[in-house]
Amino acid sequence: MLRTKYYYNPATCSYERVQRSISTFIIRSSLYIFFSVVLAVAMVRYYRGRFVSSRELELLQDNERLKAYYHMVQKKIEGSVALLTRLQQQDDELYRLLLNTTPLSPAERNAGMGGVNTYAHLGKDTLIAQTLSKAEQLYSKLKVQQQSYKQLRELAKHKMAKLASTPTFPPVSKKHLKRISAPFGMRTHPIHHIRKMHEGVDFSAPIHTPIYAAADGHVKWVKNDKKGYGNHLLIEHGNGFQTHYAHMHTIIVQKSNHIIRGQQIGTVGNSGDSTAPHLHYEVYSNRHRVDPIQYFVGELTAAEYEAVRKQSTHRTQALCSNF
Ligand SMILES: [Zn+2]
């Protein structure tokens, strides 16, 4: 409540009441309100600067926890990158070597990385931007590796098909494999006694000795001739390979039969122009007859293969006249 003020008037020699104008009252009231507001704002700011509210404290603790989680995620990403790097090394140094193909170049490995920073709007070098950027790089590397495995899978499939069609399985047991009576190459004809090319290998074996298919395929034809190759058949393996088995005693497969590698197809005989029981065995590679011995390398031990190879270099008498 405003106090009433008086002043001395010499003209009337008395104290008279001071009269206040409305404008003076408004100005004074406004100044009072203004300074009160300024003081209040200053006090709030001071309080906020010195003390943290429970809500702010909670948010600060959440923020610290999130930072810790982001660091954990980054560690996980770094661990995944290290694991992926080892897989890439195996891919380049082992699988691609085995499949006879070239390793991926650094440019191919880093495809899809770099370029526009997708997370620039999150602030440069912020924890979230760094984490997302590392996750993005890992994803790009994984996509490249996925493509690489896809390519290797196709190459392996092709190689397996080629291996399945390669005549690596010996047509007679190992015991008879070493009894090569006539190898592939120039030999003396048993009847005409002239030097001619023997385009197969003769494995000497008793009648009824099992004969096995050298690779997967199907029987192209079966023939029972009185002369020449006698009872003989040809198996088509694919990838340019065919195998021919002659002078057989019995044939237990028929034309068009599907054959699997190592399956028995008949027995050794003495049919056709043969001077003693044996198997005359030929391998065709892209329509040319080649030495069958070279394909046994994958099926025999080093010592076994060496023994067969040595035997195949001996100059012996052919048992058949199919050359
Ligand atoms: Zn022969």
Side-chain angles (χ1 to χ4, degrees), residues 277-289:
H278 76 287
L279 169 68
H280 173 86
Y281 174 63
E282 295 176 349
V283 169
Y284 286 79
S285 175
N286 295 317
R287 298 183 182 180
H288 295 287
R289 281 179 281 201

Side-chain angles (χ1 to χ4, degrees), residues 182 198 200-202 247 278 280 318 320 322-323:
H198 183 233
V201 175
D202 288 349
H247 306 300
H278 76 287
H280 173 86
C320 62
N322 305 118
F323 60 101

